[in-house]
Amino acid sequence: MPGDELGRLVDHLQAVGLVAGFASGLTKVVVGHGFDTVKTRVQLTPGGTQGAVHVLKTIVAREGFAALYKGATAPALGWALIDSVLLSSLHGYRHFLFRHGMTENTTGTRPRLTLGAMGLSGLLSGLTSAPLATPIELLKVRLQLQKQKSVSERQFKGPVDCARQLVRSQGLTGLWTGFTGGLLFRANFFYMFLTFEACMRGFTKLRGTPYEPNVAITNLLSGGAASLCFWTMAIPFDRTKNQMMSHPYPLPYPESSSKRPSFIYVARMIHAREGLRGFYRGLGPCFIRAFPSNACAFLVYEGILRYLGADQRR
């Protein structure tokens, strides 16, 4: 392929990846943010005695149904930006790995990336998106934990006010509290994209049979299965990351700068207080949320890639 043509192809893939990622991120927020709020409350409620159903009922009864979407303003734009970075970089890493030989040949088809390469590109894109994701997730967590129904009674009036207070008390780097946890959490995109591709390839074996699903069903089922695998592996890192970001909750946030806990310190604290089970708090609402939100997000993402001619499996 001539250099100019290759350059245009790469630019096209990156542009489509940004568009598809943006749409995928918005879809994820609309479908899943309410479940995410329940998960955050379950994870960070002191004592860990409240289940997801109890937390959901309490939020709706005391704060109203709209409270499930506390902290949604930041993710509404932020998740779209995060997924744009995640998925456009995913395209770039796939292209790089393809050019460097991480491919396999199958009967009657062109070379394709190996499953290991699909997982590795997911891991690298997860790490790439972590610097952007951390402050957005930090604001989301702190806004979700405010239990006051009236905005006027809350310490943080919104994401901008929350960010302003954090910078005033801890400096600009305070917005990246929990960054190490975010890196470890987002490295688990290895499992998501590996599982998604494995499922998609499994469904291709049904072509020409009475059991062949259509493309939309294939994307929904593969995306849902990938998200369940992702959260099974990632939930311990998510719990630790969110605990770091919520410090010193449930105590009031300090007006002056305070020392932020490290990932190792928080992990040891969770284990000492709750044992290994403590790392899996919130897994139930994760599973309830993961399948529909990520299945719909993958459906939107893959649909845009195919529509705009940027499917990079081959």
Side-chain angles (χ1 to χ4, degrees):
M1 181 181 291
D4 291 344
E5 185 178 349
L6 177 60
R8 287 193 297 270
L9 174 61
V10 172
D11 291 342
H12 173 68
L13 293 175
Q14 290 176 339
V16 174
L18 282 169
V19 173
F22 195 86
S24 170
L26 284 177
T27 302
K28 201 179 298 181
V29 172
V30 171
V31 176
H33 188 82
F35 294 109
D36 186 72
T37 298
V38 173
K39 178 207 62 154
T40 301
R41 294 278 185 97
V42 169
Q43 284 182 329
L44 302 178
T45 298
T49 58
Q50 298 181 347
V53 175
H54 176 77
V55 169
L56 174 61
K57 290 180 178 179
T58 301
I59 291 174
V60 174
R62 296 180 180 177
E63 305 168 49
F65 182 82
L68 293 172
Y69 282 83
K70 281 182 178 178
T73 306
L77 176 61
W79 248 244
L81 293 174
I82 292 169
D83 275 13
S84 293
V85 173
L86 175 74
L87 298 174
S88 62
S89 64
L90 178 75
H91 268 299
Y93 289 126
R94 285 179 178 177
H95 181 73
F96 176 83
L97 295 176
F98 191 94
R99 288 192 294 112
H100 286 78
M102 289 192 68
T103 59
E104 60 185 11
N105 291 303
T106 56
T107 304
T109 66
R110 292 174 290 167
R112 67 182 183 185
L113 285 170
T114 64
L115 284 178
M118 299 298 281
L120 178 59
S121 61
L123 183 153
L124 294 173
S125 61
L127 298 180
T128 301
S129 63
L132 174 62
T134 298
I136 293 171
E137 291 183 346
L138 175 68
L139 298 178
K140 174 186 72 70
V141 166
R142 298 207 171 188
L143 292 170
Q144 284 176 325
L145 291 174
Q146 297 189 117
K147 297 182 179 181
Q148 299 84 0
K149 185 175 183 178
S150 172
V151 175
S152 62
E153 297 176 356
R154 301 172 192 169
Q155 178 176 357
F156 305 125
K157 312 308 179 187
V160 174
D161 180 58
C162 183
R164 186 185 298 117
Q165 291 191 47
L166 287 171
V167 171
R168 185 170 62 240
S169 64
Q170 298 183 347
L172 187 61
T173 59
L175 293 174
W176 278 267
T177 298
F179 179 65
T180 51
L183 281 173
L184 294 170
F185 167 71
R186 300 187 76 80
N188 287 276
F189 279 106
F190 173 91
Y191 301 104
M192 175 173 279
F193 289 105
L194 185 148
T195 303
F196 180 80
E197 184 63 21
C199 290
M200 292 290 287
R201 293 182 184 185
F203 281 120
T204 62
K205 296 179 181 179
L206 298 176
R207 287 178 181 169
T209 73
Y211 307 103
E212 179 182 359
N214 61 39
V215 175
I217 296 298
T218 298
N219 282 322
L220 282 170
L221 293 178
S222 299
S227 66
L228 294 180
C229 180
F230 168 81
W231 279 108
T232 299
M233 304 304 295
I235 190 68
F237 303 102
D238 181 67
R239 167 70 205 283
T240 308
K241 165 183 69 70
N242 287 347
Q243 195 78 54
M244 295 170 69
M245 291 178 171
S246 68
H247 178 78
Y249 182 83
L251 299 175
Y253 296 115
E255 290 298 325
S256 59
S257 179
S258 62
K259 185 177 180 181
R260 287 166 276 164
S262 68
F263 181 87
I264 296 298
Y265 173 84
V266 172
R268 286 177 174 172
M269 180 186 68
I270 293 172
H271 185 266
R273 294 178 179 177
E274 305 173 46
L276 290 176
R277 290 185 61 185
F279 292 103
Y280 289 86
R281 278 172 62 180
L283 185 59
C286 267
F287 277 177
I288 296 172
R289 161 185 175 258
F291 199 101
S293 64
N294 286 282
C296 292
F298 267 112
L299 177 64
V300 170
Y301 173 67
E302 290 287 321
I304 291 175
L305 290 188
R306 282 192 301 275
Y307 181 75
L308 297 179
D311 190 345
Q312 269 190 300
R313 285 199 179 78
R314 305 203 192 290

